[in-house]
Amino acid sequence: MNQQKILQIHSSNLTHEKILPFLENGWPQYNWQNISDTGKIATSTNMSMGRIGDNVFPFRTDAIDSCNIKPPKYDSSFTKTFADVTDEQCQQWLKEKTDRPWLVFWSGGIDSTVIVASILKNSTTAERENIYVACNRASIYELPRFFYNHVQPNFKLIPTPDTAQHSLDEYHVIDGEFADQLYSSGIGWELLRLYPNSLTSDLRQDPDLLLNQLASQTNKNFATWYYELILANINSADIPVNTYHDFYWWLFFNYHYTDVYLRLRKKTVTNDYSPRWFATNDYQQWAMNNNQIGTKYTLNLGDTKLASKQYIYDFDHDEYCRIFKIKSKSKLLFYKLTLDKEFCTLDDFSKLYVDRDLDRIMELLPDYILD
């Protein structure tokens, strides 16, 4: 039997009373408290494994290659719009993924609404006979007009809690995961709330407000350490990352992406027939080429995920949704996370927990750490 290996740790648990002394004694050259605090940048996420650029953290990155999650090589000549990518993808999938029904998880949020709008825009009535939508009351509360005008009249519905009674292997399971990684998501908008107009500030020439925002979540020493570490990774990657907005986008696109992928591999909703709508090469090329103001965002807090909201508006012309709809946590009960005690993911995608697997964690951890 092959020895199991750690693919990724959840850094916030590195300060466990037995793990931290073990790390400090074995690898004193690293600042383990700061590495643990990277988990405070975005709640319940791991930000220590980049998909591209120099590895600036003291951990192995086998997961990037073994899971095949490197982004495509940056192509500055890429000119497709968000709408182009979305429509082309839907049209392609409608032709290719015909071997089983589709099950679309619609939360009522921006990302899953883009998917439903695209299906309605690009499919025939006959094709929609083979497409089911899973939602719940909270989904309807988030976007009631879209539900009653477009979802209910056009799809067979399955209440989200009832999906647990279905064999999901019978479907192509589709959801809005990886859309956040195309944008700067919530942490960038917290910066805008604290410092109006700051998202367009120069990341390298004028970093003070960015450092202040990072320090507000941790401390000044951590903020400087983390900023310099991530900037070194950015500078090695040959992808344009120039503003505060771009910095937070990079955290999600390059680092958080790995965390999401490994989380999904552990969820029973994910099977071999779970295509990732927003994870394609074209979506990632669009994300790398469109960080300018006016495409993904403006300096208005209501303009989160601007390109996605515009796509929905072009479909249903709901002005209220376009102006006031903001990102909120998905209400899908199926996707509830409990990561408080989870320490790591192994190469068979099983999990180890600090409260029950401490001896096993201590056994495997040395092989995961770079000397």
Side-chain angles (χ1 to χ4, degrees):
M1 181 177 178
N2 293 332
Q3 173 77 7
Q4 287 180 307
K5 292 184 178 181
I6 294 175
L7 280 185
Q8 184 192 47
I9 62 166
H10 290 281
S11 55
S12 58
N13 285 322
L14 289 174
T15 53
H16 183 273
E17 60 182 4
K18 292 188 177 180
I19 293 175
L20 183 59
F22 175 72
L23 294 172
E24 290 178 335
N25 289 331
W27 298 269
Q29 67 271 36
Y30 300 127
N31 189 325
W32 293 108
Q33 182 62 61
N34 278 354
I35 293 169
S36 177
D37 284 345
T38 60
K40 298 178 180 179
I41 298 301
T43 306
S44 297
T45 64
N46 186 69
M47 295 286 195
S48 62
M49 188 180 295
R51 299 191 292 150
I52 192 172
D54 292 346
N55 179 17
V56 295
F57 289 94
F59 305 124
R60 299 175 65 92
T61 58
D62 298 359
I64 304 303
D65 291 324
S66 64
C67 298
N68 193 29
I69 54 176
K70 279 189 176 180
K73 182 176 176 58
Y74 170 62
D75 179 6
S76 61
S77 67
F78 186 87
T79 58
K80 293 180 182 179
T81 66
F82 184 88
D84 292 336
V85 173
T86 302
D87 289 339
E88 288 176 13
Q89 175 156 300
C90 187
Q91 293 160 12
Q92 179 181 351
W93 282 17
L94 286 167
K95 293 177 182 178
E96 296 177 352
K97 301 184 186 304
T98 59
D99 58 317
R100 63 195 64 226
W102 293 14
L103 177 61
V104 181
F105 279 82
W106 181 67
S107 67
I110 296 169
D111 309 324
S112 57
T113 301
V114 166
I115 296 173
V116 173
S118 180
I119 292 170
L120 288 169
K121 179 180 177 182
N122 292 285
S123 66
T124 64
T125 301
E127 287 171 325
R128 289 195 293 276
E129 285 295 314
N130 211 33
I131 299 175
Y132 296 79
V133 170
C135 59
N136 57 23
R137 289 183 181 273
S139 313
I140 301 169
Y141 295 157
E142 279 209 40
L143 216 54
R145 281 187 287 198
F146 191 88
F147 174 80
Y148 289 111
N149 290 338
H150 303 295
V151 178
Q152 188 179 54
N154 290 291
F155 298 100
K156 302 169 186 175
L157 303 181
I158 300 176
T160 303
D162 291 354
T163 59
Q165 302 171 20
H166 288 248
S167 173
L168 295 180
D169 287 338
E170 297 175 0
Y171 302 94
H172 287 293
V173 179
I174 301 172
D175 59 28
E177 295 285 2
F178 294 106
D180 283 353
Q181 286 63 53
L182 305 178
Y183 295 91
S184 65
S185 201
I187 51 178
W189 300 104
E190 177 64 15
L191 181 71
L192 182 60
R193 185 186 68 79
L194 292 172
Y195 306 109
N197 305 323
S198 62
L199 285 183
T200 56
S201 297
D202 190 288
L203 169 63
R204 296 170 179 82
Q205 300 300 318
D206 186 22
D208 290 351
L209 293 180
L210 177 61
L211 291 169
N212 288 345
Q213 201 267 340
L214 290 171
S216 71
Q217 298 167 290
T218 50
N219 58 69
K220 289 185 178 180
N221 288 335
F222 170 86
T224 300
W225 171 86
Y226 188 69
Y227 164 79
E228 292 176 351
L229 207 65
I230 298 302
L231 189 60
N233 170 259
I234 290 169
N235 290 339
S236 71
D238 195 29
I239 294 172
V241 179
N242 299 311
T243 67
Y244 289 15
H245 165 273
D246 301 355
F247 180 87
Y248 281 117
W249 164 75
W250 184 254
L251 292 184
F252 268 66
F253 180 81
N254 197 34
Y255 284 92
H256 190 219
Y257 190 106
T258 309
D259 189 49
V260 172
Y261 177 88
L262 293 175
R263 167 169 60 82
L264 292 171
R265 285 299 300 261
K266 296 173 291 189
K267 293 160 69 70
T268 54
V269 72
T270 303
N271 54 51
D272 291 338
Y273 306 105
S274 297
R276 294 299 167 194
W277 186 282
F278 291 107
T280 63
N281 284 348
D282 272 4
Y283 270 121
Q284 294 187 70
Q285 284 289 358
W286 175 84
M288 289 187 281
N289 278 278
N290 286 281
N291 278 314
Q292 63 273 16
I293 189 170
T295 302
K296 287 185 181 180
Y297 72 104
T298 70
L299 298 181
N300 183 337
L301 281 171
D303 285 335
T304 57
K305 296 189 173 181
L306 183 60
S308 296
K309 291 176 68 175
Q310 187 63 45
Y311 184 88
I312 297 167
Y313 175 77
D314 289 342
F315 171 75
D316 72 355
H317 306 292
D318 186 338
E319 187 74 15
Y320 182 89
C321 174
R322 187 180 70 83
I323 295 174
F324 296 107
K325 178 66 176 171
I326 61 174
K327 175 179 171 56
S328 59
K329 294 181 180 179
S330 173
K331 305 300 192 302
L332 291 179
L333 301 178
F334 207 79
Y335 280 26
K336 181 174 173 59
L337 301 178
T338 53
L339 298 177
D340 290 347
K341 298 296 183 181
E342 183 180 323
F343 183 81
C344 65
T345 302
L346 301 181
D347 54 2
D348 62 357
F349 303 105
S350 61
K351 297 177 284 187
L352 296 181
Y353 295 84
V354 292
D355 58 351
R356 76 179 191 201
D357 303 310
L358 188 58
D359 290 343
R360 185 68 171 144
I361 289 170
M362 302 291 270
E363 177 186 350
L364 296 179
L365 197 51
D367 187 56
Y368 182 66
I369 299 172
L370 300 174
D371 292 323

